[in-house]
PDB file of all heavy atoms in Angstrom:
ATOM      1  N   GLU A 140      13.882  15.544  11.045  1.00  0.00           N
ATOM      2  CA  GLU A 140      15.249  15.915  11.502  1.00  0.00           C
ATOM      3  C   GLU A 140      15.679  17.293  11.099  1.00  0.00           C
ATOM      4  O   GLU A 140      16.599  17.841  11.689  1.00  0.00           O
ATOM      5  CB  GLU A 140      16.236  14.897  11.059  1.00  0.00           C
ATOM      6  CG  GLU A 140      16.348  14.604   9.566  1.00  0.00           C
ATOM      7  CD  GLU A 140      15.517  13.384   9.266  1.00  0.00           C
ATOM      8  OE1 GLU A 140      14.532  13.130   9.953  1.00  0.00           O
ATOM      9  OE2 GLU A 140      15.791  12.822   8.244  1.00  0.00           O
ATOM     10  N   THR A 141      15.089  17.859  10.010  1.00  0.00           N
ATOM     11  CA  THR A 141      15.375  19.271   9.585  1.00  0.00           C
ATOM     12  C   THR A 141      14.436  20.358   9.965  1.00  0.00           C
ATOM     13  O   THR A 141      14.601  21.485   9.687  1.00  0.00           O
ATOM     14  CB  THR A 141      15.497  19.254   8.053  1.00  0.00           C
ATOM     15  OG1 THR A 141      14.098  18.846   7.531  1.00  0.00           O
ATOM     16  CG2 THR A 141      16.506  18.329   7.543  1.00  0.00           C
ATOM     17  N   SER A 142      13.454  19.931  10.878  1.00  0.00           N
ATOM     18  CA  SER A 142      12.432  20.907  11.438  1.00  0.00           C
ATOM     19  C   SER A 142      13.066  21.790  12.418  1.00  0.00           C
ATOM     20  O   SER A 142      14.065  21.503  13.063  1.00  0.00           O
ATOM     21  CB  SER A 142      11.153  20.242  11.789  1.00  0.00           C
ATOM     22  OG  SER A 142      11.553  19.429  12.919  1.00  0.00           O
ATOM     23  N   THR A 143      12.374  22.949  12.632  1.00  0.00           N
ATOM     24  CA  THR A 143      12.852  23.885  13.677  1.00  0.00           C
ATOM     25  C   THR A 143      12.753  23.295  15.055  1.00  0.00           C
ATOM     26  O   THR A 143      13.561  23.532  15.953  1.00  0.00           O
ATOM     27  CB  THR A 143      12.089  25.184  13.632  1.00  0.00           C
ATOM     28  OG1 THR A 143      12.133  25.708  12.268  1.00  0.00           O
ATOM     29  CG2 THR A 143      12.718  26.211  14.478  1.00  0.00           C
ATOM     30  N   GLU A 144      11.686  22.370  15.259  1.00  0.00           N
ATOM     31  CA  GLU A 144      11.517  21.783  16.602  1.00  0.00           C
ATOM     32  C   GLU A 144      12.785  20.915  16.904  1.00  0.00           C
ATOM     33  O   GLU A 144      13.262  20.909  18.122  1.00  0.00           O
ATOM     34  CB  GLU A 144      10.262  21.004  16.674  1.00  0.00           C
ATOM     35  CG  GLU A 144       8.997  21.757  16.501  1.00  0.00           C
ATOM     36  CD  GLU A 144       8.591  22.078  15.145  1.00  0.00           C
ATOM     37  OE1 GLU A 144       9.365  21.865  14.198  1.00  0.00           O
ATOM     38  OE2 GLU A 144       7.398  22.574  15.025  1.00  0.00           O
ATOM     39  N   ALA A 145      13.236  20.168  15.946  1.00  0.00           N
ATOM     40  CA  ALA A 145      14.472  19.307  16.216  1.00  0.00           C
ATOM     41  C   ALA A 145      15.684  20.217  16.551  1.00  0.00           C
ATOM     42  O   ALA A 145      16.499  19.852  17.262  1.00  0.00           O
ATOM     43  CB  ALA A 145      14.705  18.463  15.044  1.00  0.00           C
ATOM     44  N   PHE A 146      15.799  21.349  15.786  1.00  0.00           N
ATOM     45  CA  PHE A 146      16.834  22.335  16.080  1.00  0.00           C
ATOM     46  C   PHE A 146      16.816  22.768  17.515  1.00  0.00           C
ATOM     47  O   PHE A 146      17.867  22.831  18.203  1.00  0.00           O
ATOM     48  CB  PHE A 146      16.630  23.426  15.095  1.00  0.00           C
ATOM     49  CG  PHE A 146      17.807  24.438  15.050  1.00  0.00           C
ATOM     50  CD1 PHE A 146      18.978  24.204  15.695  1.00  0.00           C
ATOM     51  CD2 PHE A 146      17.683  25.639  14.327  1.00  0.00           C
ATOM     52  CE1 PHE A 146      20.108  25.075  15.585  1.00  0.00           C
ATOM     53  CE2 PHE A 146      18.723  26.577  14.294  1.00  0.00           C
ATOM     54  CZ  PHE A 146      19.939  26.284  14.937  1.00  0.00           C
ATOM     55  N   ILE A 147      15.652  23.155  17.999  1.00  0.00           N
ATOM     56  CA  ILE A 147      15.480  23.631  19.400  1.00  0.00           C
ATOM     57  C   ILE A 147      15.881  22.604  20.372  1.00  0.00           C
ATOM     58  O   ILE A 147      16.577  22.827  21.341  1.00  0.00           O
ATOM     59  CB  ILE A 147      14.066  24.070  19.610  1.00  0.00           C
ATOM     60  CG1 ILE A 147      13.744  25.341  18.734  1.00  0.00           C
ATOM     61  CG2 ILE A 147      13.747  24.398  21.002  1.00  0.00           C
ATOM     62  CD1 ILE A 147      12.263  25.738  18.771  1.00  0.00           C
ATOM     63  N   VAL A 148      15.409  21.287  20.186  1.00  0.00           N
ATOM     64  CA  VAL A 148      15.680  20.259  21.067  1.00  0.00           C
ATOM     65  C   VAL A 148      17.185  19.984  21.180  1.00  0.00           C
ATOM     66  O   VAL A 148      17.773  19.759  22.299  1.00  0.00           O
ATOM     67  CB  VAL A 148      14.892  19.012  20.687  1.00  0.00           C
ATOM     68  CG1 VAL A 148      15.450  17.837  21.528  1.00  0.00           C
ATOM     69  CG2 VAL A 148      13.430  19.179  20.858  1.00  0.00           C
ATOM     70  N   ARG A 149      17.951  20.051  20.056  1.00  0.00           N
ATOM     71  CA  ARG A 149      19.244  19.835  19.932  1.00  0.00           C
ATOM     72  C   ARG A 149      20.090  20.904  20.781  1.00  0.00           C
ATOM     73  O   ARG A 149      20.973  20.565  21.578  1.00  0.00           O
ATOM     74  CB  ARG A 149      19.894  19.782  18.590  1.00  0.00           C
ATOM     75  CG  ARG A 149      21.357  19.368  18.436  1.00  0.00           C
ATOM     76  CD  ARG A 149      21.765  19.118  17.038  1.00  0.00           C
ATOM     77  NE  ARG A 149      21.644  20.330  16.192  1.00  0.00           N
ATOM     78  CZ  ARG A 149      20.634  20.478  15.237  1.00  0.00           C
ATOM     79  NH1 ARG A 149      19.718  19.495  15.063  1.00  0.00           N
ATOM     80  NH2 ARG A 149      20.678  21.476  14.544  1.00  0.00           N
ATOM     81  N   ILE A 150      19.577  22.103  20.708  1.00  0.00           N
ATOM     82  CA  ILE A 150      20.289  23.227  21.408  1.00  0.00           C
ATOM     83  C   ILE A 150      20.019  23.170  22.901  1.00  0.00           C
ATOM     84  O   ILE A 150      20.923  23.273  23.786  1.00  0.00           O
ATOM     85  CB  ILE A 150      19.878  24.543  20.837  1.00  0.00           C
ATOM     86  CG1 ILE A 150      20.342  24.772  19.466  1.00  0.00           C
ATOM     87  CG2 ILE A 150      20.373  25.682  21.723  1.00  0.00           C
ATOM     88  CD1 ILE A 150      19.920  26.009  18.883  1.00  0.00           C
ATOM     89  N   LEU A 151      18.779  22.848  23.272  1.00  0.00           N
ATOM     90  CA  LEU A 151      18.434  22.765  24.651  1.00  0.00           C
ATOM     91  C   LEU A 151      19.052  21.556  25.308  1.00  0.00           C
ATOM     92  O   LEU A 151      19.569  21.608  26.480  1.00  0.00           O
ATOM     93  CB  LEU A 151      16.892  22.530  24.763  1.00  0.00           C
ATOM     94  CG  LEU A 151      16.023  23.826  24.554  1.00  0.00           C
ATOM     95  CD1 LEU A 151      14.522  23.550  24.578  1.00  0.00           C
ATOM     96  CD2 LEU A 151      16.344  24.891  25.648  1.00  0.00           C
ATOM     97  N   LYS A 152      19.219  20.438  24.591  1.00  0.00           N
ATOM     98  CA  LYS A 152      19.915  19.315  25.176  1.00  0.00           C
ATOM     99  C   LYS A 152      21.402  19.500  25.375  1.00  0.00           C
ATOM    100  O   LYS A 152      21.957  19.058  26.450  1.00  0.00           O
ATOM    101  CB  LYS A 152      19.711  18.040  24.265  1.00  0.00           C
ATOM    102  CG  LYS A 152      18.340  17.386  24.482  1.00  0.00           C
ATOM    103  CD  LYS A 152      18.309  16.679  25.858  1.00  0.00           C
ATOM    104  CE  LYS A 152      16.996  15.886  26.061  1.00  0.00           C
ATOM    105  NZ  LYS A 152      16.952  15.225  27.410  1.00  0.00           N
TER     106      LYS A 152
END
Side-chain angles (χ1 to χ4, degrees):
E140 54 265 25
T141 60
S142 61
T143 308
E144 291 85 352
F146 190 10
I147 293 171
V148 171
R149 186 168 64 252
I150 295 178
L151 287 175
K152 277 294 184 179

